[in-house]
Amino acid sequence: MPHTLLREKVWARITARTIEVFHRGNRVAAHMRSSSDRRHTTVREHMPSSHRRYADWTPERIRRQAGEIGRNTAALIETILRERSHPEQGFRAAVGIIRLVKSLAATGWRQPAAGRWKSARAPSLPSIRS
């Protein structure tokens, strides 16, 4: 369903093979039902642009980039991805941390300081920045 209809009242027609979504009598989405059990099947065009930016990222790509920075960054990113019910929910935080660490490294910041996230209750970008 298009993100522009978030919090709008819609009507859905669901059959064994298709899902159709209607808003004010107009069909706004029609898709074949997914055979993948309980997995996200978001259509890229229905995402807000801020989410589309991360659609090409994979957990493996994020882990690889974090590993290239250092073991503390890799451990932090692994924790973030593991704690989410869907790893994709941690992409934005993970990419933000990778960018922050890379920008800090350019100023002479050293990787061992990244270990301070371990003392934070909930590892996040704000807890790393502080």
Side-chain angles (χ1 to χ4, degrees):
M1 182 171 99
H3 74 279
T4 54
L5 295 177
L6 184 67
R7 294 190 177 91
E8 291 286 327
K9 217 176 218 182
V10 297
W11 182 77
R13 179 186 305 152
I14 303 170
T15 68
R17 296 178 190 244
T18 62
I19 296 177
E20 294 175 286
V21 180
F22 297 85
H23 179 253
R24 297 183 179 162
N26 296 313
R27 188 169 76 174
V28 294
H31 304 286
M32 297 296 292
R33 285 189 73 169
S34 172
S35 60
S36 62
D37 189 33
R38 297 179 181 254
R39 298 212 40 190
H40 284 90
T41 57
T42 306
V43 175
R44 187 178 177 89
E45 292 76 28
H46 291 183
M47 294 178 178
S49 60
S50 59
H51 291 197
R52 255 183 261 138
R53 185 176 339 150
Y54 302 102
D56 295 329
W57 287 76
T58 64
E60 295 74 28
R61 179 180 175 187
I62 292 172
R63 287 182 180 107
R64 185 178 61 252
Q65 286 206 340
E68 290 169 1
I69 294 169
R71 82 169 182 260
N72 285 331
T73 303
L76 171 58
I77 298 306
E78 186 58 41
T79 299
I80 289 170
L81 296 178
R82 187 180 57 245
E83 288 182 355
R84 304 304 197 280
S85 45
H86 300 284
E88 293 81 3
Q89 294 170 340
F91 281 12
R92 204 166 140 196
V95 171
I97 289 167
I98 289 169
R99 286 188 181 136
L100 173 66
V101 172
K102 283 182 176 182
S103 70
L104 290 172
T107 65
W109 178 81
R110 291 285 162 236
Q111 174 65 19
R116 97 172 97 158
W117 68 268
K118 293 176 184 175
S119 63
R121 263 184 347 150
S124 63
L125 189 53
S127 70
I128 301 302
R129 280 193 179 124
S130 63

